Coordinates of all heavy atoms in Angstrom, one line a residue:
M1 N 128.5 34.9 62.0 CA 129.4 36.0 62.4 C 130.8 35.4 62.9 O 130.7 34.5 63.7 CB 128.8 36.9 63.4 CG 129.7 38.0 63.9 SD 128.9 39.0 65.1 CE 129.8 40.5 64.9
S2 N 131.8 35.8 62.4 CA 133.1 35.4 62.8 C 133.9 36.5 63.5 O 134.1 37.5 62.9 CB 133.9 34.8 61.5 OG 135.2 34.4 62.0
L3 N 134.3 36.1 64.7 CA 135.1 37.1 65.4 C 136.6 37.0 65.1 O 137.1 35.9 65.0 CB 135.0 37.0 66.9 CG 133.6 37.4 67.5 CD1 133.6 37.1 69.0 CD2 133.4 38.9 67.3
K4 N 137.4 38.0 65.0 CA 138.8 38.0 64.8 C 139.4 38.0 66.2 O 138.9 38.6 67.2 CB 139.2 39.3 64.0 CG 138.5 39.3 62.6 CD 138.9 40.6 61.9 CE 138.2 40.6 60.6 NZ 138.2 41.8 59.9
P5 N 140.7 37.6 66.3 CA 141.4 37.5 67.6 C 141.5 38.9 68.2 O 141.5 39.1 69.4 CB 142.7 36.9 67.2 CG 142.5 36.0 66.1 CD 141.4 36.7 65.2
E6 N 141.7 39.9 67.3 CA 141.8 41.3 67.9 C 140.5 41.7 68.6 O 140.5 42.4 69.6 CB 142.0 42.3 66.7 CG 143.3 42.1 65.9 CD 143.1 41.1 64.8 OE1 142.0 41.2 64.0 OE2 143.9 40.1 64.7
Q7 N 139.3 41.2 68.0 CA 138.0 41.6 68.6 C 137.9 40.9 70.0 O 137.4 41.5 70.9 CB 136.9 41.2 67.7 CG 136.9 42.1 66.5 CD 135.8 41.5 65.4 OE1 135.8 40.4 65.2 NE2 135.0 42.5 65.0
V8 N 138.4 39.7 70.0 CA 138.3 39.0 71.3 C 139.2 39.7 72.3 O 138.8 39.8 73.5 CB 138.8 37.4 71.1 CG1 138.9 36.8 72.4 CG2 137.8 36.8 70.2
R9 N 140.4 40.1 72.0 CA 141.3 40.7 72.9 C 140.7 42.1 73.4 O 140.8 42.4 74.5 CB 142.7 41.0 72.2 CG 143.5 39.9 72.0 CD 144.9 40.3 71.5 NE 145.5 39.1 70.9 CZ 145.5 38.8 69.7 NH1 144.8 39.5 68.8 NH2 146.2 37.6 69.2
K10 N 140.0 42.8 72.4 CA 139.4 44.1 72.9 C 138.2 43.8 73.8 O 138.0 44.5 74.9 CB 138.8 44.8 71.6 CG 138.2 46.1 71.9 CD 137.8 46.9 70.7 CE 137.3 48.3 71.2 NZ 136.9 49.1 70.1
V11 N 137.4 42.8 73.6 CA 136.3 42.5 74.5 C 136.9 42.1 75.8 O 136.3 42.4 76.9 CB 135.3 41.4 73.9 CG1 134.4 40.8 75.0 CG2 134.6 41.8 72.7
A12 N 138.0 41.2 75.8 CA 138.5 40.8 77.0 C 139.1 42.0 77.8 O 139.0 42.1 79.1 CB 139.7 39.8 76.8
F13 N 139.7 43.0 77.2 CA 140.3 44.2 77.8 C 139.1 44.9 78.4 O 139.2 45.5 79.6 CB 140.9 45.0 76.8 CG 141.3 46.3 77.2 CD1 142.4 46.5 78.2 CD2 140.7 47.5 77.0 CE1 142.9 47.7 78.7 CE2 141.1 48.7 77.5 CZ 142.1 48.9 78.3
L14 N 138.0 45.2 77.7 CA 136.9 45.9 78.2 C 136.2 45.2 79.4 O 135.7 45.9 80.3 CB 135.8 46.2 77.1 CG 136.3 47.1 76.0 CD1 135.2 47.1 74.8 CD2 136.5 48.4 76.4
A15 N 136.2 43.9 79.4 CA 135.6 43.2 80.5 C 136.6 42.9 81.6 O 136.3 42.2 82.6 CB 135.1 41.8 80.0
R16 N 137.9 43.5 81.5 CA 138.8 43.3 82.5 C 139.2 41.8 82.7 O 139.4 41.4 83.8 CB 138.5 44.0 83.8 CG 138.2 45.4 83.7 CD 139.4 46.2 83.2 NE 139.2 47.6 83.4 CZ 138.8 48.5 82.3 NH1 138.7 48.0 81.1 NH2 138.7 49.8 82.5
L17 N 139.3 41.1 81.6 CA 139.6 39.6 81.7 C 141.0 39.5 81.2 O 141.4 40.0 80.2 CB 138.6 38.8 80.8 CG 137.1 38.8 81.2 CD1 136.4 38.1 80.1 CD2 137.0 38.2 82.6
R18 N 141.7 38.6 81.8 CA 143.0 38.2 81.4 C 142.9 36.9 80.5 O 142.4 35.8 81.0 CB 144.0 38.0 82.6 CG 145.5 37.6 82.1 CD 146.4 37.5 83.3 NE 146.2 38.6 84.2 CZ 146.2 38.5 85.5 NH1 146.2 37.3 86.2 NH2 146.1 39.6 86.3
L19 N 143.5 37.0 79.4 CA 143.4 35.7 78.4 C 144.8 35.2 78.2 O 145.8 35.9 78.1 CB 142.8 36.1 77.1 CG 141.4 36.7 77.0 CD1 141.0 37.0 75.6 CD2 140.4 35.6 77.6
D20 N 144.8 33.9 78.0 CA 146.1 33.3 77.6 C 146.2 33.5 76.1 O 145.3 33.2 75.3 CB 146.0 31.7 77.9 CG 146.1 31.3 79.3 OD1 146.6 32.1 80.1 OD2 145.6 30.3 79.7
E21 N 147.3 34.2 75.7 CA 147.5 34.5 74.3 C 147.4 33.3 73.4 O 146.9 33.5 72.3 CB 148.8 35.2 74.2 CG 148.9 36.0 72.9 CD 147.9 37.1 72.7 OE1 147.5 37.7 73.7 OE2 147.4 37.2 71.5
D22 N 147.8 32.1 73.7 CA 147.8 31.0 72.8 C 146.4 30.4 72.7 O 146.2 29.6 71.8 CB 148.8 29.9 73.4 CG 148.5 29.5 74.9 OD1 148.0 30.3 75.6 OD2 148.8 28.4 75.1
R23 N 145.5 30.8 73.7 CA 144.1 30.3 73.5 C 143.1 31.4 72.8 O 142.0 31.1 72.6 CB 143.5 30.0 74.8 CG 144.3 28.8 75.5 CD 143.7 28.2 76.7 NE 142.4 27.6 76.4 CZ 141.5 27.3 77.3 NH1 141.8 27.4 78.6 NH2 140.4 26.7 77.0
V24 N 143.6 32.5 72.4 CA 142.8 33.5 71.8 C 142.0 32.9 70.6 O 140.9 33.2 70.5 CB 143.5 34.8 71.6 CG1 142.8 35.8 70.7 CG2 143.9 35.5 72.8
P25 N 142.8 32.3 69.7 CA 142.0 31.8 68.5 C 140.9 30.8 68.9 O 139.8 30.9 68.3 CB 143.1 31.1 67.6 CG 144.3 31.7 68.1 CD 144.2 32.1 69.5
E26 N 141.1 30.0 69.9 CA 140.0 29.1 70.4 C 138.9 29.8 70.9 O 137.7 29.5 70.6 CB 140.7 28.1 71.4 CG 139.6 27.2 72.1 CD 140.3 26.4 73.3 OE1 141.5 26.5 73.4 OE2 139.5 25.9 74.0
Y27 N 139.1 30.9 71.8 CA 138.0 31.7 72.2 C 137.3 32.4 71.1 O 136.1 32.5 71.1 CB 138.6 32.8 73.2 CG 139.2 32.3 74.5 CD1 140.3 32.9 75.0 CD2 138.8 31.2 75.1 CE1 140.9 32.4 76.2 CE2 139.2 30.7 76.3 CZ 140.4 31.3 76.8 OH 140.9 30.8 78.0
A28 N 138.0 32.9 70.1 CA 137.4 33.5 69.0 C 136.4 32.6 68.2 O 135.3 32.9 67.9 CB 138.4 34.0 68.0
N29 N 136.9 31.3 68.1 CA 136.0 30.3 67.5 C 134.8 30.0 68.4 O 133.7 29.9 67.8 CB 136.8 29.0 67.2 CG 136.1 28.0 66.4 OD1 135.3 28.4 65.5 ND2 136.4 26.8 66.6
E30 N 135.0 29.8 69.6 CA 133.8 29.5 70.5 C 132.8 30.7 70.5 O 131.6 30.4 70.5 CB 134.3 29.1 71.9 CG 135.1 27.8 71.9 CD 135.6 27.5 73.3 OE1 135.4 28.2 74.3 OE2 136.3 26.4 73.4
L31 N 133.3 31.9 70.7 CA 132.5 33.1 70.7 C 131.7 33.2 69.4 O 130.6 33.6 69.3 CB 133.2 34.3 71.2 CG 133.7 34.4 72.5 CD1 134.6 35.5 72.8 CD2 132.5 34.4 73.5
S32 N 132.4 32.9 68.3 CA 131.7 33.0 67.1 C 130.6 32.0 66.9 O 129.5 32.4 66.4 CB 132.8 32.8 65.9 OG 133.7 33.8 65.9
G33 N 130.8 30.9 67.4 CA 129.7 29.8 67.5 C 128.6 30.3 68.3 O 127.4 30.1 67.9
I34 N 128.8 30.9 69.4 CA 127.7 31.4 70.3 C 126.9 32.6 69.6 O 125.8 32.5 69.6 CB 128.3 31.9 71.6 CG1 128.8 30.8 72.4 CG2 127.2 32.6 72.4 CD1 129.6 31.1 73.7
L35 N 127.7 33.5 68.9 CA 127.0 34.6 68.2 C 126.2 34.0 67.1 O 125.2 34.5 66.6 CB 128.0 35.6 67.7 CG 128.6 36.3 68.9 CD1 129.8 37.3 68.4 CD2 127.6 37.1 69.7
G36 N 126.7 32.9 66.4 CA 126.0 32.3 65.3 C 124.7 31.7 65.8 O 123.6 31.9 65.1
L37 N 124.6 31.1 67.0 CA 123.4 30.6 67.6 C 122.4 31.7 67.9 O 121.2 31.6 67.7 CB 123.7 29.8 68.8 CG 124.4 28.4 68.6 CD1 124.8 27.8 70.0 CD2 123.5 27.5 67.8
V38 N 123.0 32.8 68.5 CA 122.1 33.9 68.7 C 121.5 34.5 67.4 O 120.3 34.8 67.3 CB 122.9 35.2 69.4 CG1 122.0 36.3 69.5 CG2 123.3 34.6 70.8
D39 N 122.3 34.6 66.4 CA 121.7 35.0 65.0 C 120.7 34.0 64.6 O 119.8 34.5 64.0 CB 123.0 35.1 64.1 CG 122.5 35.7 62.7 OD1 121.8 36.7 62.7 OD2 122.8 35.0 61.7
Q40 N 121.0 32.8 64.8 CA 119.9 31.7 64.3 C 118.6 31.9 65.1 O 117.5 31.9 64.5 CB 120.5 30.4 64.6 CG 119.7 29.2 63.9 CD 120.5 27.9 64.2 OE1 121.3 27.8 65.0 NE2 120.0 26.9 63.4
L41 N 118.7 32.2 66.4 CA 117.5 32.5 67.2 C 116.8 33.7 66.8 O 115.6 33.8 66.7 CB 117.9 32.5 68.6 CG 118.3 31.2 69.3 CD1 118.7 31.5 70.7 CD2 117.1 30.3 69.4
E42 N 117.5 34.8 66.4 CA 117.0 36.1 66.0 C 116.2 35.8 64.8 O 115.2 36.5 64.5 CB 118.0 37.1 65.8 CG 118.5 37.6 67.1 CD 119.6 38.8 66.9 OE1 120.0 38.9 65.7 OE2 119.8 39.3 67.8
R43 N 116.6 34.9 63.8 CA 115.8 34.7 62.6 C 114.6 33.7 62.7 O 113.8 33.6 61.8 CB 116.7 34.0 61.6 CG 117.8 35.1 61.1 CD 118.7 34.6 59.9 NE 119.8 33.9 60.6 CZ 120.2 32.7 60.3 NH1 119.7 32.0 59.4 NH2 121.3 32.2 61.0
A44 N 114.3 33.2 63.9 CA 113.2 32.3 64.2 C 112.0 33.1 64.0 O 111.9 34.2 64.6 CB 113.3 31.6 65.5
D45 N 110.9 32.6 63.4 CA 109.6 33.2 63.3 C 108.8 33.1 64.6 O 108.5 32.0 65.0 CB 108.9 32.5 62.2 CG 107.5 33.2 61.9 OD1 107.3 34.4 62.4 OD2 106.6 32.5 61.4
T46 N 108.6 34.2 65.3 CA 107.9 34.1 66.5 C 106.6 35.0 66.5 O 106.0 35.3 67.5 CB 108.8 34.8 67.6 OG1 109.1 36.1 67.3 CG2 110.0 34.0 67.9
D47 N 106.1 35.2 65.3 CA 104.8 35.8 65.1 C 103.7 34.9 65.7 O 103.6 33.8 65.4 CB 104.5 36.1 63.7 CG 105.5 37.2 63.1 OD1 106.0 38.0 63.8 OD2 105.7 37.3 61.9
G48 N 102.9 35.5 66.5 CA 101.7 34.8 67.1 C 102.1 34.0 68.3 O 101.3 33.3 68.8
V49 N 103.3 34.0 68.8 CA 103.7 33.3 70.0 C 103.5 34.2 71.2 O 104.2 35.3 71.3 CB 105.2 32.8 69.9 CG1 105.6 32.1 71.1 CG2 105.4 31.9 68.6
E50 N 102.9 33.7 72.1 CA 102.7 34.5 73.3 C 103.9 34.5 74.3 O 104.5 33.4 74.4 CB 101.4 33.9 74.1 CG 100.1 34.1 73.4 CD 99.6 35.5 73.6 OE1 99.8 36.1 74.7 OE2 98.9 36.0 72.8
P51 N 104.3 35.6 74.8 CA 105.4 35.6 75.7 C 105.1 34.7 77.0 O 103.9 34.8 77.4 CB 105.5 37.1 76.1 CG 104.8 37.8 75.1 CD 103.8 37.0 74.6
M52 N 106.0 34.1 77.5 CA 105.8 33.2 78.6 C 106.8 33.6 79.8 O 108.0 33.9 79.5 CB 106.1 31.7 78.2 CG 105.2 31.2 77.1 SD 105.7 29.6 76.6 CE 105.4 28.6 78.0
A53 N 106.4 33.5 81.0 CA 107.2 33.7 82.1 C 107.9 32.3 82.5 O 108.9 32.4 83.2 CB 106.5 34.2 83.3
H54 N 107.2 31.2 82.1 CA 107.7 29.9 82.5 C 107.3 28.9 81.5 O 106.2 29.1 80.9 CB 107.1 29.5 83.9 CG 107.8 28.4 84.5 ND1 107.5 27.1 84.2 CD2 108.8 28.3 85.4 CE1 108.2 26.2 84.9 NE2 109.0 27.0 85.7
P55 N 108.1 27.9 81.1 CA 107.7 27.0 80.1 C 106.6 26.1 80.4 O 106.0 25.6 79.5 CB 109.0 26.2 79.8 CG 109.9 26.3 81.0 CD 109.4 27.7 81.6
L56 N 106.3 25.9 81.7 CA 105.2 25.1 82.1 C 104.1 25.9 82.5 O 104.3 26.9 83.1 CB 105.6 24.1 83.2 CG 106.8 23.1 82.8 CD1 107.2 22.4 84.1 CD2 106.5 22.3 81.7
D57 N 102.8 25.5 82.3 CA 101.7 26.2 82.6 C 101.3 25.8 84.0 O 100.4 25.0 84.2 CB 100.5 26.0 81.7 CG 99.4 27.0 81.9 OD1 99.5 28.1 82.5 OD2 98.2 26.7 81.5
L58 N 102.0 26.4 85.0 CA 101.7 26.0 86.4 C 101.2 27.3 87.1 O 101.5 28.5 86.9 CB 103.0 25.6 87.1 CG 103.7 24.4 86.5 CD1 105.1 24.2 87.2 CD2 102.8 23.2 86.7
A59 N 100.4 27.0 88.2 CA 99.9 28.1 89.0 C 100.7 28.0 90.4 O 100.8 26.8 90.8 CB 98.4 28.0 89.2
A60 N 101.0 29.1 90.9 CA 101.7 29.1 92.2 C 100.7 28.6 93.3 O 99.6 29.2 93.4 CB 102.3 30.4 92.5
R61 N 101.1 27.7 94.2 CA 100.3 27.4 95.4 C 100.5 28.4 96.4 O 101.6 28.6 96.9 CB 100.6 26.0 95.8 CG 100.2 24.9 94.8 CD 100.6 23.5 95.4 NE 102.0 23.5 95.7 CZ 102.5 22.4 96.3 NH1 101.8 21.4 96.7 NH2 103.8 22.3 96.5
L62 N 99.4 29.1 96.7 CA 99.6 30.1 97.7 C 98.8 29.7 99.1 O 97.8 29.0 99.0 CB 99.0 31.4 97.2 CG 99.5 32.0 95.9 CD1 98.7 33.2 95.4 CD2 101.0 32.4 96.2
R63 N 99.4 30.1 100.2 CA 98.8 29.9 101.4 C 97.6 30.8 101.7 O 97.5 31.8 101.1 CB 99.8 30.0 102.5 CG 100.3 31.3 102.8 CD 101.2 31.3 104.1 NE 101.9 32.6 104.2 CZ 101.3 33.7 104.7 NH1 100.1 33.8 105.0 NH2 102.0 34.8 104.7
V64 N 96.7 30.5 102.5 CA 95.6 31.3 102.9 C 96.1 32.5 103.6 O 96.9 32.4 104.5 CB 94.6 30.5 103.8 CG1 93.5 31.4 104.2 CG2 94.1 29.3 103.0
D65 N 95.7 33.7 103.2 CA 96.1 35.0 103.8 C 95.3 35.2 105.1 O 94.3 35.8 105.0 CB 95.9 36.1 102.8 CG 96.6 37.4 103.3 OD1 97.4 37.3 104.3 OD2 96.2 38.4 102.8
A66 N 95.7 34.5 106.1 CA 95.0 34.6 107.4 C 96.0 35.0 108.5 O 97.1 34.6 108.4 CB 94.3 33.3 107.7
V67 N 95.4 35.7 109.5 CA 96.2 36.1 110.6 C 96.6 34.9 111.5 O 95.7 34.0 111.8 CB 95.5 37.1 111.5 CG1 96.3 37.4 112.8 CG2 95.1 38.3 110.8
S68 N 97.9 34.6 111.6 CA 98.3 33.5 112.4 C 98.9 33.8 113.8 O 99.0 32.9 114.6 CB 99.4 32.7 111.6 OG 100.5 33.5 111.5
E69 N 99.0 35.0 114.0 CA 99.5 35.5 115.4 C 98.8 36.8 115.7 O 98.7 37.7 114.9 CB 101.0 35.6 115.3 CG 101.6 35.7 116.7 CD 103.1 35.7 116.6 OE1 103.7 34.8 115.9 OE2 103.8 36.6 117.1
G70 N 98.3 36.9 116.9 CA 97.7 38.1 117.2 C 98.6 39.3 117.5 O 99.9 39.2 117.5
D71 N 98.0 40.5 117.7 CA 98.7 41.7 117.9 C 99.5 41.7 119.2 O 98.8 41.6 120.2 CB 97.8 42.9 117.7 CG 98.6 44.2 117.9 OD1 99.8 44.2 117.8 OD2 97.8 45.3 118.2
Q72 N 100.8 41.8 119.3 CA 101.6 41.8 120.6 C 102.3 43.1 120.7 O 103.3 43.1 121.4 CB 102.5 40.6 120.6 CG 101.7 39.3 120.5 CD 102.6 38.1 120.6 OE1 103.9 38.3 120.9 NE2 102.2 36.9 120.3
R73 N 101.9 44.2 120.1 CA 102.6 45.4 120.1 C 102.8 45.8 121.5 O 103.9 46.3 122.0 CB 102.0 46.4 119.3 CG 102.8 47.7 119.2 CD 102.1 48.8 118.4 NE 101.0 49.3 119.1 CZ 100.3 50.4 118.7 NH1 100.6 51.0 117.6 NH2 99.2 50.9 119.3
D74 N 101.7 45.8 122.3 CA 101.8 46.4 123.7 C 102.8 45.6 124.5 O 103.6 46.1 125.3 CB 100.4 46.3 124.4 CG 99.5 47.2 123.7 OD1 99.9 48.3 123.1 OD2 98.2 47.1 123.8
A75 N 102.9 44.2 124.3 CA 103.7 43.4 125.1 C 105.2 43.7 124.7 O 106.1 43.7 125.6 CB 103.5 41.9 124.8
F76 N 105.4 43.9 123.4 CA 106.8 44.2 122.9 C 107.2 45.7 123.5 O 108.4 45.9 123.8 CB 106.9 44.1 121.5 CG 106.7 42.7 120.9 CD1 106.1 42.5 119.8 CD2 107.4 41.7 121.6 CE1 106.0 41.1 119.3 CE2 107.4 40.4 121.1 CZ 106.5 40.1 119.9
Q77 N 106.3 46.6 123.3 CA 106.6 48.0 123.7 C 106.8 48.1 125.3 O 107.5 49.0 125.7 CB 105.6 48.9 123.2 CG 105.7 49.2 121.7 CD 105.0 50.3 121.2 OE1 104.2 50.9 121.9 NE2 105.3 50.7 120.0
A78 N 106.3 47.2 126.0 CA 106.3 47.2 127.4 C 107.8 46.9 127.9 O 108.3 47.4 129.0 CB 105.4 46.2 128.1
I79 N 108.5 46.2 127.1 CA 109.9 45.8 127.4 C 110.9 46.7 126.7 O 112.1 46.6 126.9 CB 110.2 44.3 127.1 CG1 110.0 44.0 125.7 CG2 109.4 43.4 128.1 CD1 110.4 42.6 125.4
A80 N 110.4 47.6 125.9 CA 111.3 48.6 125.1 C 111.8 49.7 126.1 O 111.1 50.1 127.0 CB 110.6 49.1 123.9
P81 N 113.0 50.2 125.9 CA 113.5 51.2 126.7 C 112.8 52.5 126.6 O 112.6 53.2 127.7 CB 114.9 51.5 126.2 CG 115.3 50.3 125.3 CD 114.0 49.7 124.9
A82 N 112.2 52.9 125.4 CA 111.5 54.2 125.3 C 110.5 54.0 124.2 O 110.9 53.7 123.1 CB 112.4 55.3 125.1
T83 N 109.2 54.4 124.4 CA 108.2 54.4 123.5 C 107.3 55.6 123.7 O 107.3 56.3 124.8 CB 107.3 53.2 123.5 OG1 106.6 53.2 124.8 CG2 108.1 51.9 123.4
E84 N 106.7 56.1 122.6 CA 105.7 57.2 122.7 C 104.7 57.1 121.6 O 105.1 57.0 120.5 CB 106.5 58.5 122.6 CG 105.6 59.7 122.7 CD 106.5 61.0 122.6 OE1 107.3 61.2 123.4 OE2 106.1 61.8 121.8
G85 N 103.4 57.1 122.0 CA 102.4 57.1 121.0 C 102.4 55.8 120.1 O 102.1 55.9 118.9
G86 N 102.9 54.7 120.6 CA 102.9 53.4 119.8 C 104.2 53.2 119.0 O 104.4 52.4 118.2
L87 N 105.1 54.2 119.1 CA 106.4 54.2 118.4 C 107.6 54.0 119.3 O 107.5 54.4 120.4 CB 106.5 55.6 117.7 CG 105.4 56.0 116.7 CD1 105.7 57.4 116.2 CD2 105.3 55.0 115.5
Y88 N 108.6 53.4 118.7 CA 109.9 53.2 119.4 C 110.7 54.4 119.4 O 110.9 55.0 118.2 CB 110.6 52.0 118.9 CG 109.9 50.7 119.2 CD1 109.1 50.1 118.2 CD2 110.0 50.0 120.4 CE1 108.4 49.0 118.3 CE2 109.3 48.8 120.6 CZ 108.5 48.3 119.6 OH 107.9 47.1 119.8
L89 N 111.2 54.9 120.5 CA 112.1 56.1 120.5 C 113.5 55.6 120.6 O 113.9 54.8 121.3 CB 111.8 57.1 121.7 CG 110.4 57.5 121.8 CD1 110.3 58.4 123.1 CD2 110.0 58.4 120.6
V90 N 114.3 56.2 119.7 CA 115.8 55.8 119.6 C 116.7 57.0 119.7 O 116.2 58.1 119.3 CB 116.1 55.0 118.3 CG1 115.4 53.7 118.3 CG2 115.8 55.8 117.0
P91 N 117.9 56.9 120.0 CA 118.8 58.0 120.1 C 119.0 58.7 118.8 O 119.0 57.9 117.7 CB 120.1 57.5 120.7 CG 119.7 56.2 121.3 CD 118.5 55.7 120.6
R92 N 119.2 60.0 118.7 CA 119.4 60.7 117.5 C 120.8 60.3 116.9 O 121.8 60.4 117.7 CB 119.3 62.2 117.6 CG 119.5 63.0 116.4 CD 119.4 64.5 116.7 NE 118.0 64.7 117.1 CZ 117.3 65.6 116.5 NH1 117.7 66.2 115.4 NH2 116.0 65.8 116.9
V93 N 120.9 60.0 115.7 CA 122.2 59.7 115.1 C 122.8 60.6 114.1 O 123.9 60.7 113.8 CB 122.2 58.2 114.5 CG1 122.1 57.1 115.6 CG2 121.2 58.1 113.5
I94 N 121.9 61.5 113.6 CA 122.2 62.5 112.6 C 121.8 63.8 113.1 O 120.7 64.0 113.5 CB 121.6 62.2 111.3 CG1 122.1 60.9 110.6 CG2 121.9 63.3 110.3 CD1 121.4 60.5 109.4
E95 N 122.7 64.7 113.2 CA 122.4 66.1 113.8 C 121.8 66.9 112.6 O 122.2 66.9 111.6 CB 123.5 66.7 114.4 CG 124.1 66.0 115.6 CD 123.2 66.0 116.8 OE1 122.4 67.1 117.0 OE2 123.1 65.0 117.5

């Protein structure tokens, strides 16, 4: 696929990009090359290929899901300005 300079200017306008007018043909050539690579990838035969989330078959190392700190709610609520029924009371901000 070959882009024309007018198409490059239109895409730049839509993307709110300012282009140097003397470099527009260079941009058109580079973008045409990128679109050519995308076209080449679209034609690749991917039948029977499993989708992958990562190119390497790795398993995430997870830590043990264990309690590392005890419940300190009562200690924290003891120093709070206002609590009720285990909840923190705050001033109303929306009427």
Side-chain angles (χ1 to χ4, degrees):
M1 176 177 205
S2 180
L3 288 177
K4 297 176 185 165
E6 303 84 45
Q7 292 172 311
V8 172
R9 286 187 197 95
K10 183 174 182 176
V11 169
F13 173 76
L14 293 173
R16 306 294 192 257
L17 298 174
R18 184 179 307 137
L19 297 180
D20 293 333
E21 194 59 35
D22 56 333
R23 295 191 64 192
V24 169
E26 179 185 344
Y27 295 142
N29 189 32
E30 289 178 3
L31 288 171
S32 294
I34 292 170
L35 292 175
L37 288 173
V38 170
D39 185 47
Q40 192 177 14
L41 287 173
E42 285 180 347
R43 286 184 272 131
D45 180 23
T46 57
D47 291 337
V49 177
E50 292 281 330
M52 301 172 65
H54 195 276
L56 301 177
D57 189 23
L58 299 175
R61 293 185 296 173
L62 303 175
R63 65 175 172 80
V64 177
D65 191 15
V67 176
S68 60
E69 194 171 310
D71 180 16
Q72 297 182 13
R73 183 179 75 171
D74 293 335
F76 292 138
Q77 289 194 345
I79 58 174
T83 62
E84 182 179 301
L87 304 173
Y88 294 95
L89 302 178
V90 296
R92 181 181 296 241
V93 292
I94 299 176
E95 296 293 326

